[in-house]
Amino acid sequence: MGVAVTRTIDYLTALLEWVMTLSFVALFLVNLLNIVLRNIAGIAWLWIPGFSRLVFIWLVFLGIAAAYRRAAHLDIDFFLLRMKPRVRLLTLMGINLVLIPFFVILLVYGLDVAQVRMRVPFDTWQVPTGYAYLAVPVCAVLLLLYCGERLVKLVKEARSP
Amino acid sequence: MILVLFGLLFALIAVGFSIWTAMGVSGAIYIVMQGEVSFRLVASRMVSGIDSETLVAIPFFILAGDIMNAAGITRRLADFADLFVGRFRAGLAYVSIIVSVIMAGVSGSAVADATSVSSVLHPIMRKRGYHDRFAAAINASSAVIGPIFPPSIPMIFIGVISGLSIGRLFLGGILPGLLMAGILWFVATLVSNRRGYAKAPVGFSWRRFGRLAKETLLALLAPSFVISGVVFGFVTITEVAAIAVAYVMFLGLFVYRTLTWSQLAEVFRRSALLSATLMAIFAVVGLFQYIVATEQMGAQLESMVEALNLGKNGFLVFTTIFFLLLGAILDAIPVMLIFFPVLLPIAMELGIDPTHFGVITVLNLMIGLLTPPIGVLLFIQTKIGDVGFGELLGEIWPYILALLGVLLLCTFVPAVVLWIPNLVF
């Protein structure tokens, strides 16, 4: 994989993590504001729970993609670490090849579900819940990109003497 | 079919799939084999699995713990505890236990607590002449208190998934958490005395006490906010977590001035990433629960329990062994999320209090974090403490046995778990 492509993916991931960080800050501030308004000013903003759910769902799905790039997801590498290097490389390739159809399912059917959910608003906020469900196909696109990048790296590694 | 599903799940995890993808892929394969359900279920269940206001508390608790560490609050707490107990032979082991209990009162995650407490204490323990394996063993074992003493991330998961009161679960963890601290204290004393570790020349002086008390008193208040929020119920669990974050952030930024804005941004990023890895599992568990319900696994287990005529105590023994075995070979969170809702109705039918069953399930699976081959806390300690896995295993078994003793006590004497929740609610 070319240096330019890797660098572009690096920038994209950095941007993704910034969006996550800002979403997390927004989630925290909104919840704090909710406590202050309710307990001190006696005001309850009804949109806050829906907004919280929307931001949280996006935060999680963007985080799933970012953690995949960083190989930070919880796994059990007990057997993987005990394999011979060549076998380990082939196993990792196999794992990523199996993941591609799974991520495609998330993309295609995630879009489908998001479309359906565009008709259903949040309980106390007149915004379609479909916007929350859109996080699944967006996450799937990122996962496919990262999976492709990982596979290319593994193939290169396998070819090198 | 359900056996094929679980067989596939174990195989994928063993091969090296991350836990959430192993669950997702095996769930998708089940859908193909079953042929009656659409793949839409995968996407919709993943979102509905995490679509809960209560779950928002989890990233907040993780964030609070991480801020405490980044702001040097963990270090201050360790210094303060050292002033009182540092002069004893097992002094720093006691410090590890005390700090773990206090950190447990804010963060609620064993992995986060193990990393923060060990990275502060392990180098000091090494300097004072403790063996690396001893430091690693006590730091790993005391981290198990994290998800037992309130707040507890696994208990939030259990509460959300089964509808149990999270407040009652939290309070149910107080006495078991303190008992665990007590028994670990006892084992560390025995080991230290037998090995004759040197007593550190840490003298108590009122001047030093005054300085450290001034520095740590405000930090010590953080867990009390969390517990009082749960007890008095004037805010939700998520809001308790947000208040804890705001408080430790305020301490770090404006009182101690040890936290910079750029550090804070990095802590937010790191905590968001860690939270996503936990929530990913929670998301795919929704799919698994659907399958478990469709396959009527609960009914099958119930008839098996009836056929075996286990009774209340027999069932408790069965679930204890079942969770200990699964906790040893699988990650605690998916085991808890898949099997707890299936076993809970059977437990309730046998007259077991749901809060009691919830707390002992968490306690059981958290001990699994210390057992081979998969013990996550062992792997963390081998990295931080530069200790061999086998060496650590040889050192940690008395602590595991002691914690199993607490588990058995909590399992067969429900009052240990239920006394405080029944007193409050």
Side-chain angles (χ1 to χ4, degrees):
Chain A
M1 184 170 284
V3 179
V5 178
T6 308
R7 197 172 292 167
T8 309
I9 297 177
D10 284 344
Y11 283 134
L12 179 75
T13 310
L15 178 72
L16 174 69
E17 292 190 359
W18 264 108
V19 173
M20 280 168 56
T21 306
L22 291 175
S23 310
F24 198 11
V25 172
L27 190 65
F28 166 64
L29 290 177
V30 157
N31 273 278
L32 209 59
L33 184 71
N34 199 24
I35 304 167
V36 173
L37 285 176
R38 202 183 60 236
N39 290 294
I40 297 173
I43 301 169
W45 279 347
L46 293 177
W47 58 270
I48 287 183
F51 178 80
S52 259
R53 281 164 55 195
L54 176 72
V55 174
F56 180 61
I57 288 166
W58 271 93
L59 179 66
V60 170
F61 279 95
L62 293 182
I64 286 176
Y68 179 81
R69 175 97 200 288
R70 286 177 172 266
H73 278 291
L74 299 173
D75 59 12
I76 290 162
D77 53 7
F78 184 79
F79 297 108
L80 209 56
L81 292 175
R82 280 156 182 78
M83 289 175 186
K84 287 181 180 163
R86 189 85 191 159
V87 178
R88 185 163 64 231
L89 207 64
L90 289 172
T91 308
L92 286 171
M93 274 188 212
I95 289 174
N96 284 284
L97 281 172
V98 170
L99 286 180
I100 291 176
F102 176 59
F103 294 157
V104 171
I105 289 173
L106 288 184
L107 172 61
V108 175
Y109 292 90
L111 269 175
D112 196 21
V113 175
Q115 252 172 351
V116 174
R117 297 291 301 201
M118 282 298 173
R119 294 191 286 271
V120 186
F122 283 97
D123 303 334
T124 54
W125 190 32
Q126 286 310 305
V127 167
T129 47
Y131 288 119
Y133 282 77
L134 261 182
V136 178
V138 171
C139 169
V141 169
L142 290 165
L143 286 169
L144 281 168
L145 174 73
Y146 293 148
C147 189
E149 182 199 22
R150 205 178 273 184
L151 273 170
V152 172
K153 276 185 186 165
L154 288 168
V155 170
K156 270 188 180 174
E157 212 178 314
R159 278 187 185 159
S160 64
Chain B
M1 190 94 107
I2 198 89
L3 286 177
V4 176
L5 175 75
F6 281 105
L8 190 64
L9 172 68
F10 291 150
L12 293 179
I13 291 175
V15 166
F17 277 77
S18 57
I19 289 160
W20 84 273
T21 53
M23 292 174 79
V25 169
S26 49
I29 291 174
Y30 170 88
I31 289 173
V32 173
M33 285 165 68
Q34 208 236 14
E36 285 173 15
V37 192
S38 160
F39 280 130
R40 270 185 180 180
L41 190 78
V42 182
S44 66
R45 282 275 166 169
M46 278 185 77
V47 176
S48 60
I50 56 162
D51 188 9
S52 150
E53 279 177 64
T54 310
L55 288 177
V56 179
I58 290 170
F60 287 160
F61 281 129
I62 290 174
L63 180 64
D66 208 357
I67 292 175
M68 279 182 85
N69 212 28
I73 295 173
T74 315
R75 178 64 196 253
R76 284 164 200 267
L77 291 172
D79 285 346
F80 193 51
D82 192 35
L83 180 72
F84 294 98
V85 294
R87 63 182 177 280
F88 297 111
R89 217 176 280 282
L92 282 179
Y94 301 155
V95 171
S96 170
I97 295 165
I98 294 170
V99 176
S100 293
V101 171
I102 299 169
M103 288 295 288
V106 180
S107 89
S109 152
V111 172
D113 288 359
T115 313
S116 58
V117 176
S118 303
S119 55
V120 169
L121 278 180
H122 198 104
I124 310 172
M125 292 181 89
R126 186 181 288 154
K127 222 178 190 173
R128 284 205 196 158
Y130 294 100
H131 291 109
D132 276 331
R133 60 176 196 272
F134 173 78
I138 188 68
N139 288 335
S141 330
S142 48
V144 177
I145 301 169
I148 308 301
F149 201 79
S152 158
I153 289 172
M155 286 182 197
I156 297 176
F157 278 142
I158 274 192
V160 169
I161 215 153
S162 62
L164 295 181
S165 156
I166 296 173
R168 270 183 72 83
L169 286 168
F170 274 11
L171 294 178
I174 293 180
L175 262 186
L178 292 176
L179 276 173
M180 288 161 79
I183 197 90
L184 291 178
W185 190 290
F186 177 70
V187 177
T189 308
L190 286 184
V191 175
S192 302
N193 285 344
R194 211 186 58 200
R195 294 212 180 122
Y197 286 132
K199 291 180 181 177
V202 185
F204 182 91
S205 76
W206 284 105
R207 201 171 156 193
R208 193 155 168 250
F209 170 77
R211 184 175 61 80
L212 285 172
K214 213 170 101 186
E215 280 183 359
T216 49
L217 205 62
L218 289 172
L220 284 169
L221 286 177
S224 61
F225 280 140
V226 175
I227 293 175
S228 58
V230 172
V231 171
F232 298 114
F234 53 87
V235 282
T236 63
I237 296 290
T238 308
E239 290 171 348
V240 165
I243 292 171
V245 170
Y247 182 69
V248 291
M249 198 188 286
F250 174 76
L251 290 184
L253 286 172
F254 304 111
V255 179
Y256 301 141
R257 297 183 183 195
T258 43
L259 189 67
T260 62
W261 289 101
S262 61
Q263 267 179 314
L264 189 62
E266 172 57 21
V267 171
F268 263 95
R269 188 198 62 78
R270 206 166 46 216
S271 301
L273 208 62
L274 177 60
S275 308
T277 60
L278 282 178
M279 299 316 303
I281 297 171
F282 204 90
V284 279
V285 154
L287 174 65
F288 250 72
Q289 282 170 335
Y290 172 84
I291 297 168
V292 163
T294 311
E295 292 283 328
Q296 295 183 316
M297 194 179 161
Q300 286 175 30
L301 267 175
E302 199 172 339
S303 48
M304 191 183 94
V305 169
E306 268 172 23
L308 290 172
N309 202 14
L310 287 175
K312 191 172 166 179
N313 285 337
F315 176 76
L316 285 172
V317 171
F318 163 76
T319 49
T320 303
I321 296 169
F322 177 75
F323 280 133
L324 278 174
L325 287 177
L326 277 187
I329 56 167
L330 269 177
D331 188 74
I333 301 289
V335 173
M336 187 186 315
L337 295 180
I338 295 170
F339 294 105
F340 181 76
V342 176
L343 292 168
L344 180 67
I346 307 172
M348 286 168 73
E349 206 160 286
L350 290 168
I352 299 165
D353 183 279
T355 304
H356 175 225
F357 192 61
V359 172
I360 57 171
T361 300
V362 173
L363 177 50
N364 190 323
L365 286 169
M366 291 305 112
I367 294 174
L369 298 176
L370 292 174
T371 52
I374 307 300
V376 180
L377 294 176
L378 300 179
F379 286 108
I380 291 175
Q381 294 302 329
T382 54
K383 282 179 194 161
I384 296 177
D386 201 16
V387 191
F389 192 78
E391 198 186 354
L392 181 53
L393 271 184
E395 182 78 12
I396 207 165
W397 67 265
Y399 300 92
I400 297 177
L401 281 182
L403 291 175
L404 285 175
V406 175
L407 171 66
L408 287 179
L409 181 72
C410 293
T411 303
F412 295 104
V413 187
V416 177
V417 173
L418 295 173
W419 183 60
I420 297 181
N422 287 346
L423 213 64
V424 175
F425 290 105

